Amino acid sequence: MPASPLSCLQSSNSSTPIFSSDPKQGSKKNKRKPMVLVVDDNPLVQNVTAKIVERVGYSPITAGDGETALYLFKRHQEELIAVILDIVMPGIDGKETFRRMEAINPAIPVILTSGFFSGQTDSDPLPLGIAAFMPKPFTPSMVEQLLKKLGRPLDTE
C-alpha cells in the first residue's frame, strides 16, 4: 500500500518532523529564493508538497485551481524555476492549465502529477512539452531530484 502524504512529514527514524519552522533557517543574506508553483486542489497534498519544496531550498507558492495557477504563473514567471501541477482538478484541469502556461512562457518546466493517471496512454496522452510526470503518492526525494534536475541551482554564497 502506498505511503500516506503525511508520511513525508516524519523522518523515518523517529516521530520528529523533518521540516523546521525556524524563520532564520535558510535566509543567509535575505536573497529571494527561486520559486516553485505548486498546484493541487487537495489542500493536504498542496501543503505537503509546498513543505517539500521549501525543504529543498526553494520558495513555494501555491494554488488550488487552474485559474489561480495561471494568475500566479503570469505574475511570478521571472522568479519561477518550475511548476508542480496536478492533472485532475475541477474547473480548468491540469492539462489545459499546462497548455495555457506554455503559451505564456514555455521556458518554465512543468511537472505533471496525478494519483489517477499513470502516465502516457494512447487514449489519454500527456501534452507535448511537459518536463516530467510524477505519479502520486510521490516521495520528498522524488520531488527533490526533479527540482534539482530541472531548476536552476540555488545561490550558495
Side-chain angles (χ1 to χ4, degrees):
M1 174 144 193
S4 148
L6 289 176
S7 65
C8 69
L9 292 174
Q10 303 287 322
S11 66
S12 59
N13 297 342
S14 72
S15 61
T16 306
I18 57 175
F19 304 109
S20 170
S21 59
D22 182 0
K24 297 176 188 171
Q25 190 177 29
S27 59
K28 291 182 181 179
K29 292 185 178 182
N30 270 342
K31 288 188 177 184
R32 291 185 79 174
K33 295 180 193 177
M35 293 180 168
V36 175
L37 175 57
V38 175
V39 187
D40 201 298
D41 61 316
N42 180 321
L44 178 63
V45 174
Q46 184 188 108
N47 291 333
V48 168
T49 306
K51 287 179 190 281
I52 294 168
V53 166
E54 191 170 37
R55 187 190 81 181
V56 174
Y58 298 104
S59 180
I61 54 174
T62 61
D65 59 72
E67 189 175 330
T68 304
L70 290 166
Y71 169 79
L72 292 171
F73 185 85
K74 287 177 191 174
R75 184 169 180 214
H76 296 286
Q77 62 184 304
E78 296 300 317
E79 298 97 356
L80 285 172
I81 58 99
V83 176
I84 299 174
L85 175 63
D86 187 24
I87 293 175
V88 180
M89 296 186 297
I92 304 170
D93 72 4
K95 289 182 180 182
E96 181 59 28
T97 301
F98 166 73
R99 287 182 187 97
R100 294 182 190 186
M101 286 178 173
E102 190 175 48
I104 296 164
N105 188 339
I108 299 171
V110 176
I111 303 164
L112 289 180
T113 69
S114 180
F116 302 104
F117 183 80
S118 60
Q120 186 78 22
T121 66
D122 290 337
S123 63
D124 194 14
L126 290 172
L128 292 176
I130 67 158
F133 174 77
M134 188 169 52
K136 291 179 186 175
F138 43 79
T139 65
S141 64
M142 289 168 67
V143 176
E144 183 174 0
Q145 288 172 5
L146 276 173
L147 289 178
K148 286 183 176 181
K149 178 181 173 188
L150 298 173
R152 62 181 178 252
L154 292 170
D155 184 4
T156 57
E157 291 180 20

